[in-house]
Amino acid sequence: LSDVVGLGKTITSAMIVKQLCFQTKGQVLIIAPPSIENEWKETFKKFQIGSIRHFDFKSYGALEKIKDTEDYEIVIIDESHKFKNFSTSRYKELERICKEDVKYKKKIILVSATPLNNKPQDIANQLYLFQDKRNSTIDSHPNLESFFAGIDKKYKEIISKKDNHSELSTEELYELEQLSKRVRDNILREVMVRRTRTDIQTNETYSVDLKEQGLNIPDINPVKELEYELDDKLLKIFDKTINILTKDLKYYRYK
């Protein structure tokens, strides 16, 4: 689930979980930063999920303590982009929790506003938390490892060109864009729920719902350029301030 910030990923997750609770028997596990524990619990309370099914909240730091996973059937991972590196012990613990099918086959929901932070492999590693690398449920690309190996090779070829010059050319940026499009069209469209503000405004179902509820998404005004003219006195103060920040302050603690 990859909506941009402010579109209600937590609420959408709660709606999905409530529907799944009528189809499943196991418990719900939420894995997220402790700073947003109250938000998750309050949202689940509003949707009365606690009265239907028991749920637990665990922070990232408690993953290795989760030894008994057999009663969990639904696992939600908030800010899943933090698990983009498969070589960390934290990733391995989460993979164990997600794939350890004892009593129930786990249903995994990844939640992130930014699933892609740096490179295509970020996406792949998150997919591997609920997909088999060589036998995925994506019919057109059952071997995800092979697909992403080709993507990663091409990505590195493009990025390596940056070593020769400070900025990528227009053509190289276009190549990166096409690479992202391949990942989106071939893989993400099969496993991702994604809604941008434009999607919501143009999709017939969403737009009708907005009108019925009297809701609207604010328009973003274009950027306006504001010019400030400094008189001689302000110019001297500005110049003095910049010199203090860039030359006089030594930041000894950090050196």
Side-chain angles (χ1 to χ4, degrees), residues 33-50:
S35 59
I36 54 178
E37 178 177 356
N38 288 338
E39 180 184 348
W40 275 100
K41 288 183 175 180
E42 287 173 6
T43 304
F44 270 41
K45 183 179 179 180
K46 289 177 181 177
F47 280 84
Q48 300 178 323
I49 292 174

Side-chain angles (χ1 to χ4, degrees), residues 225-241:
E225 183 177 337
L226 298 177
E227 293 186 2
Y228 292 88
E229 292 187 11
L230 304 181
D231 57 29
D232 290 343
K233 184 179 179 181
L234 281 176
L235 190 60
K236 288 178 181 177
I237 295 173
F238 179 80
D239 188 55
K240 183 179 179 181
T241 304

Side-chain angles (χ1 to χ4, degrees), residues 58-68 93 96-97:
K58 301 290 184 182
S59 66
Y60 298 156
L63 295 181
E64 71 278 1
K65 298 177 183 177
I66 306 173
K67 299 302 181 185
D68 187 3
E93 289 293 339
R96 170 185 62 81
I97 293 167

